[in-house]
């Protein structure tokens, strides 16, 4: 009898231990839904007479100044600005010393109409042949109202070049938006990767659409005049307004925000690629055709082949609509692009994909759903070491407010999610590691809330890591003085 009770007790202990272990295994990837409740400022646009939209002093002074990378490898810049009264000077004066401009370049000038709004004179100047890792000072405008700015070119492309990117999406022009920009500028990041939905001017009508594009240009100038913002387009840039006679998509956006698409052999400014420091950045358009045989599909197929992970080990993709999203807002809207491109992203071992659209923050584990082909395979996403991490940062602060309803239970692919405003940063350390942060805007403060160490998908492979260590050791030995070699 005692023996039987002992056996039963032993069996019960074994069963309990097995249950605990199995529970741990089943919940090893359990994600976190933040319990933080934001006491948000009103999601309304800042009044036009606020100092955030201040018009610079001086007759016909340049305004809405912003820059972006102008070529494939970071040795060129595109400077854009607007003059309101007349074209004025279309010249950029620049050099390596403040106030001493040894070079000049000429900009193109254009304007356009949108319904009964007529834009100012939009200047766009491509400056090439720049030196890497150099601070340039530039001046634009007529003599009596000239304005001065500066920018820093990126370091020369290389596998171990450190660099820090900021990631912002769905910004708009509210007080929450202002908090995001100001907090971003405290991070020390060197370039913004913008994942679409810029001004939210499409929430206005008639003449006010153009007015709100102008105010947004002045709004971001505090950062965008000094460091490149890499643009991608969202649904709020489409501006299909047939009741106003405006039926050509992206008109305001394309007139104002150029991209270096020809340098990456793209046929459209809506999708393109650049290389910067140790990163290869691919920008896709969620609202342009992308199925098989379309221009974007053909271009991406070729661009992925051009990626050289020996030179630019970090492969980053930007898009507007997230492919993995567990929020009720825009749930599964990225499914069609996922079906087309996800297998490519896994095959080429993309490190990380940034998207916006959903006005909340979410980070995934490395999951994929490439095994399912309608007729066979598991229909559910599964852990996949070759898959990228997907991050949604559509939380810049626009007037539509936060998307506060997440799916319950939290899907296995979702690692962390929170409905709050903020921005992200990705600090590349070398070819193997980068540090990622998401920063919440909390009561006027920047609060680091989600972070992790990102391991490179290409160089993180054990065989390549051993090769890297071997080659590094060899280079150290051959560079030693002969007297110090063993």
């Amino acid at each position: 009898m005692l023996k039987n009770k002992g056996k039963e007790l032993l069996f019960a202990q074994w069963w309990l231990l097995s249950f605990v272990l199995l529970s741990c295994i089943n919940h090893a990837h359990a994600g976190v839904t933040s319990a933080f409740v934001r006491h948000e400022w009103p999601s309304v646009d800042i009044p036009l007479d606020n100092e955030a939209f201040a018009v610079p002093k001086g007759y016909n002074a340049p305004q809405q100044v912003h820059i972006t990378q102008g070529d494939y490898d970071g040795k060129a810049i595109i400077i854009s600005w607007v003059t309101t009264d007349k074209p004025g000077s279309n010249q950029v004066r620049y050099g390596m010393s403040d106030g001493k401009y040894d070079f000049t370049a000429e900009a193109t000038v254009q304007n356009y109409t949108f319904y009964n709004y007529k834009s100012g004179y939009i200047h766009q100047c491509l400056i090439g042949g720049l030196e890497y890792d150099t601070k340039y000072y530039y001046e634009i405008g007529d003599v009596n109202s000239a304005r001065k700015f500066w920018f820093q070119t990126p370091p020369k492309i290389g596998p171990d070049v450190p660099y820090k990117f900021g990631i912002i999406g769905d910004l708009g022009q509210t007080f929450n938006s202002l908090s995001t920009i100001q907090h971003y500028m405290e991070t020390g990041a060197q370039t913004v990767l913008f994942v679409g939905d810029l001004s939210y001017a499409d929430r206005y009508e008639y003449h006010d659409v153009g007015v709100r594009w102008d105010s947004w240009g002045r709004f971001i100038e505090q950062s965008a005049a000094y460091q490149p913002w890499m643009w991608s387009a969202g649904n709020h840039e489409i501006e299909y307004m047939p009741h106003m006679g405006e039926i050509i998509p992206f008109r305001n956006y394309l007139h104002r925000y150029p991209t270096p698409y020809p340098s990456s052999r793209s046929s459209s400014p809506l999708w393109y690629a650049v290389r910067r420091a140790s990163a290869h950045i691919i920008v896709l358009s969620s609202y342009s055709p992308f199925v098989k045989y379309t221009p974007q599909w053909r271009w991406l197929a070729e661009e992925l082949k051009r990626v050289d992970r020996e030179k630019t080990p970090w492969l980053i993709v930007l898009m507007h609509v997230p492919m993995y999203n567990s929020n009720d807002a825009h749930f599964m809207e990225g499914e069609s692009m996922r079906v087309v491109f996800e297998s490519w992203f896994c095959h080429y071992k993309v490190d990380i994909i940034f998207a916006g659209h959903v006005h909340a923050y979410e980070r995934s584990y490395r999951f994929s759903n490439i095994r399912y082909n309608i007729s066979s395979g598991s229909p559910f996403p599964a852990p996949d070491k070759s898959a990228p991490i997907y991050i949604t940062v559509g939380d810049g602060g626009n007037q539509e407010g936060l998307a506060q309803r997440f799916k319950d239970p939290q899907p296995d692919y979702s690692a962390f999610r929170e409905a709050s405003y903020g921005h992200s940063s990705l600090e590349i350390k070398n070819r193997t590691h980068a540090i990622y942060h998401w920063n919440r805007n909390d009561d006027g403060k920047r609060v680091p809330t989600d972070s992790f160490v990102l391991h490179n998908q290409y160089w993180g492979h054990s065989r390549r890591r051993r090769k890297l260590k071997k080659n590094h050791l060899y280079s150290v030995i051959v560079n030693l003085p002969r007297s110090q070699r063993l």
Side-chain angles (χ1 to χ4, degrees):
M1 187 75 173
L2 289 172
K3 286 184 179 180
N4 289 338
K5 284 187 176 180
K7 287 181 181 179
E8 289 173 2
L9 180 62
L10 184 64
F11 177 80
Q13 290 174 336
W14 175 84
W15 184 88
L16 181 61
L17 178 62
S18 300
F19 177 82
V20 170
L21 288 173
L22 285 171
S23 298
C24 291
I25 293 170
N26 288 336
H27 292 88
H29 288 287
V32 174
T33 299
S34 172
F36 177 80
V37 178
R38 178 174 180 80
H39 302 288
E40 60 182 297
W41 296 337
S43 290
V44 295
D45 280 350
I46 299 171
L48 289 172
D49 59 358
N50 188 278
E51 62 180 359
F53 304 136
V55 176
K57 296 178 180 179
Y59 172 72
N60 205 41
Q63 59 170 271
Q64 304 174 50
V65 184
H66 58 270
I67 63 176
T68 194
Q69 185 164 316
D71 66 352
Y72 198 53
D73 288 334
K75 295 193 73 175
I77 202 88
I78 302 173
I79 301 175
S80 303
W81 73 95
V82 174
T83 52
T84 56
D85 302 296
K86 62 180 183 180
S89 172
N90 67 336
Q91 187 181 80
V92 176
R93 302 169 289 281
Y94 66 101
M96 300 178 192
S97 300
D98 191 7
K100 187 175 184 296
Y101 308 113
D102 297 322
F103 311 102
T104 60
E106 300 294 318
T108 61
V109 185
Q110 63 170 331
N111 59 3
Y112 70 98
T113 58
F114 190 86
Y115 186 63
N116 63 353
Y117 164 85
K118 185 176 181 179
S119 76
Y121 298 93
I122 301 170
H123 304 247
Q124 294 174 351
C125 183
L126 173 63
I127 301 175
L130 300 174
E131 298 292 328
Y132 282 124
D133 203 14
T134 301
K135 188 172 185 177
Y136 284 89
Y137 299 85
Y138 68 100
E139 182 182 65
I140 52 178
D142 297 321
V143 175
N144 294 331
S145 57
R147 300 184 68 201
K148 299 177 181 181
F149 305 91
W150 56 265
F151 63 85
Q152 178 87 21
T153 55
K156 185 178 180 180
I157 288 171
D160 289 305
V161 177
Y163 202 77
K164 190 171 186 179
F165 294 98
I167 305 95
I168 299 175
D170 300 67
L171 185 59
Q173 42 194 305
T174 69
F175 286 104
N176 293 307
S177 315
L178 180 60
S179 177
T180 296
I181 287 185
Q182 292 174 338
H183 290 152
Y184 161 73
M185 292 172 65
E186 296 172 358
T187 65
Q190 298 154 282
T191 293
V192 170
L193 306 179
F194 197 91
V195 292
D197 282 359
L198 286 69
S199 68
Y200 284 77
D202 68 331
R203 291 180 61 82
Y204 295 82
E205 289 190 310
Y206 308 114
H207 186 268
D208 288 342
V209 176
V211 169
R212 278 297 179 172
W213 274 105
D214 288 332
S215 61
W216 196 78
R218 295 192 295 273
F219 181 65
I220 65 165
E221 187 185 88
Q222 58 188 298
S223 170
Y226 298 93
Q227 59 175 230
W229 284 40
M230 306 295 186
W231 303 108
S232 60
N235 54 298
H236 286 279
E237 280 70 73
I238 297 173
E239 295 180 322
Y240 177 73
M241 300 177 174
H243 64 288
M244 293 164 45
E246 294 295 343
I247 59 174
I248 300 175
F250 305 108
R251 282 195 68 225
N252 284 297
Y253 170 75
L254 291 176
H255 275 98
R256 294 168 181 265
Y257 293 95
T259 63
Y261 71 97
S263 62
S264 60
R265 307 175 190 174
S266 169
S267 59
S268 169
L270 297 173
W271 59 87
Y272 63 97
V274 297
R275 304 196 302 178
R276 196 167 184 88
S278 51
H280 193 121
I281 302 158
I282 293 176
V283 179
L284 298 178
S285 176
S286 298
Y287 298 100
S288 301
F290 52 76
V291 297
K292 195 171 184 178
Y293 308 125
T294 59
Q296 185 171 200
W297 183 91
R298 289 183 183 275
W299 173 81
L300 181 58
E302 292 303 314
E303 184 61 28
L304 286 169
K305 295 175 186 176
R306 295 177 67 191
V307 177
D308 185 351
R309 305 296 280 270
E310 302 284 332
K311 294 180 179 178
T312 51
W314 293 96
L315 183 52
I316 301 168
V317 174
L318 311 182
M319 59 182 64
H320 185 62
V321 180
M323 287 166 44
Y324 283 91
N325 162 40
S326 67
N327 199 292
D328 281 352
H330 307 300
F331 184 63
M332 290 187 71
E333 284 186 22
E335 187 67 3
S336 54
M337 183 173 272
R338 185 198 64 76
V339 171
V340 175
F341 290 145
E342 185 179 24
S343 61
W344 291 3
F345 295 153
C346 293
H347 175 74
Y348 286 98
K349 291 183 167 52
V350 171
D351 291 294
I352 195 164
I353 295 179
F354 293 106
H357 200 38
V358 179
H359 301 164
Y361 171 75
E362 185 165 15
R363 170 174 59 87
S364 80
Y365 293 112
R366 294 196 187 277
F367 265 67
S368 77
N369 197 10
I370 59 177
R371 298 167 185 81
Y372 183 57
N373 65 2
I374 298 181
S375 62
S376 64
S378 171
F380 301 105
D384 187 341
K385 292 181 179 179
S386 296
I389 289 175
Y390 296 88
I391 293 183
T392 301
V393 281
D395 53 357
N398 68 81
Q399 62 163 275
E400 290 182 340
L402 294 168
Q404 299 188 4
R405 293 189 301 176
F406 287 104
K407 296 291 182 183
D408 187 23
Q410 186 170 0
D412 289 342
Y413 58 77
S414 177
F416 184 90
R417 55 189 189 174
E418 178 178 307
S420 192
Y421 296 118
H423 71 278
S424 297
S425 64
L426 179 67
E427 185 174 5
I428 295 172
K429 293 296 188 180
N430 51 39
R431 75 183 73 192
T432 59
H433 294 81
I435 298 174
Y436 171 84
H437 284 281
W438 175 64
N439 303 286
R440 176 204 299 147
N441 303 342
D442 181 15
D443 297 327
K445 301 185 295 292
R446 175 171 61 89
V447 181
T449 306
D450 183 37
S451 63
F452 65 95
V453 175
L454 180 64
H455 297 267
N456 186 270
Q457 286 285 72
Y458 179 84
W459 286 101
H461 189 280
S462 60
R463 185 177 300 171
R464 290 195 184 93
R465 204 161 50 234
R466 289 196 297 270
K467 177 184 175 184
L468 173 63
K469 290 178 181 178
K470 179 181 177 182
N471 290 342
H472 177 69
L473 179 61
Y474 174 77
S475 66
V476 169
I477 291 172
V478 298
N479 288 321
L480 282 174
R482 288 185 179 276
S483 60
Q484 295 182 24
R485 296 183 192 176
L486 295 177

